[in-house]
């Protein structure tokens, strides 16, 4: 056992980090470099940090605060999410690896300053191999508290030197990728006159609607939260609403933008979908991304899918910019580069007769192989 103490905090007990390595030479795409657990009895913190790859640099990924049924469920989630961050960061052109963290518990019940500061010390103990940010269950204010114990945190508030809410640039990234998708499908990047169905008008979806309306698109929306729908219609009375996602996907829309929960593209939805382009901010949109699964069925139906982990990377681009000292114009410029990145994925898919989902993976892997290190990232002291 390792005991970490600070002059301003009670000692905490850290469980030894468990490290998984692929056999033979270092392989940044298979297995995880490190998985570390912490149980801190004083604060009630139970957390896992998974570092999938640091071939391109320190692992960046958010902290999910969720009431998992058990440690096995939490571990499965953090392993999956951290691997996804490796691909997201690589494809977004960032010199950062992939990592993720989970805190086990209901944030409404167990969130406290003591717990968040203990978590900050846990992140600090990893020496810079992992940089955290917001995810489901954590907010900007939490990052400010965590920052009191570690410098390895992004997504802080502007008054604490951060970039604030990332939803604005996330929405810009989705809109930019959607323009690229339109250029690929219809030969011009303009969305004027196109009908776009947006499922989910929360933080990101409502800003996406702003962009679409300004671009001259006809917008149809739905959300399980009727108040969210009414709020966006109060801003844009000309947009339409439908009762639910089932009705939306069957509507005469050109573009489908899933901006709510994951698993938006299942077998039933894909068969019913009228749109020719799918481009939205929701994570993990493909209910089955295996061989012969949803990506191939979209391809067979002539529906172009803009991979979600590329499309929604505006948020991670924003928080990554904080690591250099946040410059809004620079971050915005980097998000706008998603136009070219999206076109590259769609063209690769078309050239090789594969799904854009698999083309995106291949491009991410090629970048890691071409510019990544053959050794895990170890901070310079």
């Amino acid at each position: 056992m390792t005991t970490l103490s600070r002059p301003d905090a009670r000692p905490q007990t850290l469980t030894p980090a468990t490290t998984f390595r692929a056999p033979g030479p270092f392989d940044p795409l298979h297995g995880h470099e490190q998985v570390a657990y912490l149980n801190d009895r004083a604060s009630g913190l139970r957390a896992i940090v998974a570092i999938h790859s640091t071939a391109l640099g320190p692992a960046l990924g958010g902290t999910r605060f969720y009431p998992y049924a058990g440690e096995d469920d939490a571990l499965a989630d953090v392993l999956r999410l951290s691997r996804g961050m490796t691909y997201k960061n690589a494809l977004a052109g960032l010199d950062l690896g992939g990592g993720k963290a989970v805190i086990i518990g209901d944030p409404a019940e167990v969130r406290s300053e003591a717990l968040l500061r203990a978590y900050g010390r846990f992140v600090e103990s990893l020496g810079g191999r992992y940089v955290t940010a917001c995810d489901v269950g954590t907010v900007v204010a939490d990052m400010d508290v965590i920052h009191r114990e570690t410098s390895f945190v992004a997504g802080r508030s502007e008054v604490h030197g951060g970039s604030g809410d990332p939803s604005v640039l996330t929405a810009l990234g989705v809109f930019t990728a959607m323009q690229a998708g339109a250029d690929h499908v219809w030969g011009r990047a303009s969305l004027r006159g196109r009908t776009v169905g947006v499922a989910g008008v929360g933080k990101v979806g409502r800003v996406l609607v702003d962009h679409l309306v300004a671009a001259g698109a006809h917008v149809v929306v739905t959300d399980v939260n009727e108040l969210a729908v009414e709020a966006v219609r109060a801003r844009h009375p000309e947009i339409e609403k439908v009762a639910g996602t089932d009705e939306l996907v069957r509507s005469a829309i050109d573009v489908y933008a899933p901006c709510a929960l994951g698993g938006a593209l299942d077998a039933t939805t894909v068969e019913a979908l009228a749109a020719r382009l799918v481009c939205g901010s929701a994570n993990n949109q493909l209910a089955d991304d295996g061989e012969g699964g949803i990506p191939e069925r979209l391809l067979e139906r002539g529906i172009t899918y803009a991979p979600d982990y590329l499309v929604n990377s505006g948020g991670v681009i924003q928080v990554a910019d904080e690591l250099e000292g946040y410059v809004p114009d620079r971050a915005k410029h980097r998000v706008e580069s998603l136009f070219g990145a999206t076109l590259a994925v769609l063209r690769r898919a078309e050239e090789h007769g594969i799904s854009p989902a698999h083309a995106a993976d291949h491009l991410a892997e090629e970048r890691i192989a071409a510019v990544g290190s053959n050794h895990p990232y170890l901070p310079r002291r």
Side-chain angles (χ1 to χ4, degrees), residues 12 18 22 40 42 55-56 81 97-98 144 173 188 194 203 209 220 246 249 261 263 277 284 294 300 318 336:
Q12 62 174 306
T18 304
D40 180 54
L56 291 175
L81 292 168
D144 289 342
R188 56 195 297 262
R194 297 291 173 194
K203 276 188 172 184
V209 169
V220 186
D246 288 346
V249 298
L261 300 176
L277 171 64
N284 305 314
I294 299 300
E300 290 167 2
Q318 174 176 317
E336 289 171 340

Side-chain angles (χ1 to χ4, degrees), residues 29-292:
L29 291 172
H30 297 89
H32 283 69
E33 291 181 22
Q34 184 177 10
V35 179
Y37 293 74
L38 174 67
N39 291 288
D40 180 54
R41 295 183 183 89
S43 67
L45 173 67
R46 293 186 298 153
I48 309 173
V49 173
I51 297 172
H52 177 256
S53 171
T54 60
L56 291 175
L60 172 67
T63 296
R64 181 163 294 191
F65 202 150
Y66 189 79
Y68 294 98
E71 191 175 278
D72 287 347
D73 291 339
L75 177 61
D77 203 26
V78 77
L79 292 176
R80 176 182 61 84
L81 292 168
S82 56
R83 185 178 189 276
M85 288 305 301
T86 293
Y87 284 79
K88 179 191 283 272
N89 293 339
L91 198 58
L94 301 174
D95 292 330
L96 293 163
K100 208 78 172 185
V102 295
I103 297 175
I104 303 171
D106 185 342
E109 296 179 1
V110 302
R111 189 196 324 257
S112 67
E113 179 183 347
L115 182 146
L116 292 171
R117 293 185 69 156
Y119 175 66
R121 295 191 292 272
F122 182 32
V123 172
E124 179 71 16
S125 75
L126 296 172
R129 279 175 46 76
Y130 170 65
V131 180
T132 196
C134 294
D135 196 76
V136 174
T138 55
V139 296
V140 170
D142 296 333
M143 299 303 112
D144 289 342
V145 176
I146 293 165
H147 181 55
R148 294 169 72 177
E149 300 288 347
T150 182
S151 60
F152 305 119
V153 55
R156 306 186 306 275
S157 67
E158 293 169 296
V159 296
H160 286 279
S163 59
D165 184 358
S167 60
V168 173
L169 284 191
T170 301
L172 176 62
V174 175
F175 176 70
T176 300
M178 194 180 292
Q179 290 177 307
D183 186 68
H184 182 79
V185 173
W186 295 292
R188 56 195 297 262
S190 174
L191 291 163
R192 181 169 296 279
R194 297 291 173 194
T195 299
V196 182
V198 181
V201 285
K203 276 188 172 184
V204 176
R206 69 172 182 247
V207 181
L208 175 61
V209 169
D210 292 342
H211 287 297
L212 292 169
V213 170
H218 174 61
V219 181
V220 186
V221 303
T222 190
D223 197 298
V224 294
N225 183 349
E226 185 62 25
L227 291 177
V229 172
E230 292 310 314
V232 76
R233 292 191 75 209
R235 289 155 63 95
H236 305 291
E238 67 273 30
I239 70 175
E240 294 184 38
K241 70 171 183 177
V242 293
T245 303
D246 288 346
E247 182 178 348
L248 182 67
V249 298
R250 288 175 169 79
S251 302
I253 55 176
D254 298 303
V255 184
Y256 176 44
C259 295
L261 300 176
L265 296 171
D266 57 18
T268 302
T269 299
V270 171
E271 293 306 315
L273 194 59
R276 288 191 60 196
L277 171 64
V278 176
C279 181
S281 67
N283 285 306
N284 305 314
Q285 293 173 23
L286 302 172
D288 174 12
D289 61 358
E291 199 70 32

